[in-house]
Every structure is written in C-alpha cells, then in structure tokens.
C-alpha cells in the first residue's frame, strides 16, 4: 500500500467539464506537490505546498486550481481543460524540514480530455 | 539545453546482464541525486538517494555521482525481468537554510526491458 493515495485513478472529461483530483498522504509529511507527466517529456513540477501554504506555482495555467486544506490532503481542481492537458497527474509528499528532497509519489491519476 | 539529459532508450538486455543507466546535468548547484523506478501505469518509486559525490550500494543497485563531470549513474547487477521499467533520474539543489521543498528536476527516463 502506497503512503500517498490518489483518486480517481482514471478520469475522462470534456473540455467544458469541471472535475477534481484528490490526494491524501499517510506519511506525516508537511509538504505536498502536483507533478504532470506527459508522454516523452520529463516530469514537470506544477505546484508546491509547504505547511498548507502554496510556495510554488510553476507558471501553470489558471484552468488548474490547487487546494490544500491541511497538510494531509491536496486537490487539483480542473475546468475548461484542453486536449493537450491529457496526462498522468502525480501527487507527491515530503518532509520539508529535512535537508534533501526525498519525495514520495502516489500512483497517479490518468486524465484524458476529449 | 535541458538541465538534465537522459537517454530515453529503449534499452533491452538479457537476464543476468549488468545494466548501466546515466544522466548528465548542467546545473552545478545540484547536490541531491535520486533514481526512481516507474512501472507501467504506476507512480515513480524512490530507488536510490545520494548526496554530493560518491557511491552508494543497495543490494543489486549501485548509484554513482561524479559532480566534477556532472554525471550520475545507476548500475543494476544480475538484472531480472522484474527490473523492466522506466528509470528516472532526478536532482535538486539545497534550498535556503539547507532545506528544500521537493523541487526536483527530472530526466526524461530510460525504458529498460530485461528479457528472460
């Protein structure tokens, strides 16, 4: 069982839909992240939350809206997406107070925009 | 120029072979180096973690970092079909005060197939 749980695992949505991805970490970490993984491209960092505060927004379009209600939960709200947004969206967590960057990923949510 | 370069492969080897996976990078501020393994349709799992230059061994896996050459490697000895996966290198610089927040820069990943 992974310490980072993502739901749903698969999502198909139209360009006018609104949906949300959910992430929960059971590792006691205080930092959470959203990464995007597209075919033939490196993992791209989207958002960073440290102690529930957003500390990084890596020039992500506003059609992606993150929410971090507490240090264990992270959401990614999606609206008016484009087909090129189809990708694997990975949630991750780490203990931000330590030196280094050992981050742990969830299984990912496969998103298809039609 | 990409910050991290990794040959995407694919790489196909027979069972029992020694596998060498490599990444080069351009940012001299990188101090933390990781290798992740990602099975098909799964999330990446942390395989090896090293700080600065040197070697680290864990079972059949050895990670090497050469900061002077900006080059990192992962060696897999006695490779098994279960090692078939995509291997991602990742690295980061230390943040202020010696901490950082998971701002990893990833390579593209190398697809490895170990055939029986």
């Amino acid at each position: 069982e992974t310490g980072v749980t993502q739901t749903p695992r698969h999502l198909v949505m139209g360009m006018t839909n609104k949906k949300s991805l959910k992430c929960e970490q059971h590792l006691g970490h205080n930092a959470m992240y959203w990464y995007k993984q597209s075919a033939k491209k490196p993992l791209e960092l989207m958002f960073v939350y440290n102690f529930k505060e957003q500390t990084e927004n890596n020039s992500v379009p506003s059609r992606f809206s993150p929410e971090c209600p507490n240090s264990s939960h992270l959401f990614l709200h999606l609206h008016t997406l484009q087909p090129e947004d189809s990708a694997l969206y990975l949630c991750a967590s780490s203990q931000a107070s330590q030196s280094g960057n050992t981050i742990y990923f969830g299984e990912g949510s496969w998103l298809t925009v039609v | 120029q990409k910050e991290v370069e990794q040959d995407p492969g694919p790489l196909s080897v027979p069972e029992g072979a020694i596998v060498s996976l490599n990444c080069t990078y351009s940012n001299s501020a990188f101090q933390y180096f990781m290798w992740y393994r990602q099975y098909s349709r799964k999330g990446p799992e942390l395989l090896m973690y090293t700080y600065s230059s040197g070697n680290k061994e864990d079972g059949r896996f050895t990670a090497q970092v050469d900061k002077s050459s900006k080059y990192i490697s992962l060696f897999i000895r006695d490779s098994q079909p279960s090692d078939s996966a995509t291997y991602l290198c990742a690295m980061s610089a230390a943040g202020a005060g010696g901490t950082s927040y998971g701002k990893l820069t990833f390579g593209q990943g190398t697809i490895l197939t170990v055939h029986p």
Side-chain angles (χ1 to χ4, degrees), chain A residues 9-10 33 35 37 40 42-43 45 48 50 56 88 90 96-107 110, chain B residues 2 32 34 36 38 41-46 49 88 92-94 97-104 106-108:
Chain A
R9 292 296 314 281
H10 298 87
Y33 317 86
Y35 278 83
Q37 188 174 36
K40 301 188 187 304
L43 277 158
L45 177 64
V48 180
N50 186 30
E56 185 88 10
L88 177 66
L90 291 159
S97 61
Q98 295 173 346
S99 297
N101 280 309
T102 308
I103 72 171
Y104 297 88
F105 288 92
E107 297 285 10
W110 286 93
Chain B
K2 295 178 185 176
Y32 301 95
M34 285 135 278
Y36 285 83
Q38 186 173 22
R41 307 192 73 79
K42 297 283 189 180
E45 58 175 317
L46 182 66
Y49 170 82
L88 306 163
S92 71
T99 63
S100 49
Y101 303 127
K103 293 178 64 175
L104 302 183
F106 283 85
Q108 187 175 338

Side-chain angles (χ1 to χ4, degrees), chain B residues 40-105:
Chain B
S40 180
R41 307 192 73 79
K42 297 283 189 180
E45 58 175 317
L46 182 66
L47 201 57
M48 297 288 281
Y49 170 82
T50 53
Y51 169 68
S52 194
S53 287
N55 294 358
K56 184 173 183 178
E57 188 173 319
D58 184 0
R60 297 184 295 111
F61 299 90
T62 300
Q64 289 186 351
V65 174
D66 182 350
K67 289 187 69 181
S68 62
S69 301
K70 296 189 178 67
Y71 186 87
I72 69 171
S73 300
L74 177 71
F75 297 96
I76 307 174
R77 292 182 299 280
D78 187 25
S79 56
Q80 303 294 310
S82 58
D83 295 327
S84 299
T86 298
Y87 289 80
L88 306 163
C89 65
M91 47 199 79
S92 71
T99 63
S100 49
Y101 303 127
K103 293 178 64 175
L104 302 183
T105 301

Side-chain angles (χ1 to χ4, degrees), chain A residues 34-36 44-48 54 56-66 76-78 81 85 89:
Chain A
W34 283 113
Y35 278 83
K36 177 183 178 182
E44 302 171 59
L45 177 64
M46 299 176 72
F47 300 104
V48 180
Q54 187 179 128
E56 185 88 10
N57 176 339
N58 207 21
S59 302
V60 180
S62 60
R63 57 185 184 270
F64 295 91
S65 175
L76 188 63
H77 303 301
L78 316 169
L81 295 191
D85 296 322
Y89 289 85

